Amino acid sequence: MDALDLTIRNQVYSNFVRTGRAPHPSEVAIDLDLGPSDVEESYQRLHDAHALVLDRDALEIRMLNPFSCVPSAWRVEAAGRTWFSNCAWDSFAVCAALHSDGRIESTCADCGEPLAVDVRDRKPVQRDYLFHVLVPARQWWDDIVFT
Amino acid sequence: MNLFRSEEHLERWLAGREPGASTSVDTLCDLAHAWYSDRLDPDWRPHTLEHNQAILDRLGLTGTFWRLA
């Protein structure tokens, strides 16, 4: 990942955390005084490097891991805001990335009953749930949305 | 990557499929912090595969299932 892509990646994350919305390439181009095509090409390289996840066949950002840029079944209250994440792991990771306590709300994948876990001082308060990963690690990025 | 109320709920959800791997919520929380705490740092750099594999190893997430490559 070269310096330009790192700068654009950092601007995208910074913009998202500030506004709660993933920026369009044209917005990042204005922020960084770059050409729109420079940012569009960078978005694709960052997607290929797994530094962000674009919606298929579009330059819309779907994931800035651990954040989901679209509503999901995983809600995290942290740092004074409500965020969406992509899965159980990413939900705890939202607290980690924001260096914040938080509350994770979702449902049991089996029965659909609500689940909630509070995170205090980097530790879960409710500890009796089970975390399950279906896809082996070497295949996580084969289809990250399914993973 | 899901949460379940118990082992019984996981087994019912799997419905005979081959299970993946399970951990406690404590390990999950430790994993999330080890992997993602630097994600918003201004000097963030991509983790190497070796760095991330070491995180998994340190938390006892070992074996073929947890090998990143």
Side-chain angles (χ1 to χ4, degrees), chain A residues 66-145:
Chain A
F67 303 97
S68 172
C69 303
V70 297
S72 77
W74 295 93
R75 290 166 51 95
V76 184
E77 303 284 343
R81 293 249 301 272
T82 300
W83 311 84
F84 291 105
S85 73
N86 304 293
C87 64
W89 181 349
D90 279 357
S91 296
F92 287 88
V94 166
C95 297
L98 294 168
H99 300 281
S100 172
D101 291 344
R103 180 176 177 82
I104 295 159
E105 295 180 345
S106 189
T107 57
C108 173
D110 170 50
C111 68
E113 286 293 311
L115 302 179
V117 181
D118 295 295
V119 177
R120 295 284 177 271
D121 298 326
R122 299 166 58 104
K123 295 294 179 188
V125 175
Q126 296 82 6
R127 304 168 57 208
D128 50 354
Y129 300 130
L130 191 64
F131 172 54
H132 181 260
V133 181
L134 187 64
V135 179
R138 68 184 175 283
Q139 297 171 16
W140 286 344
W141 283 95
D142 291 355
D143 182 348
I144 192 60
V145 175

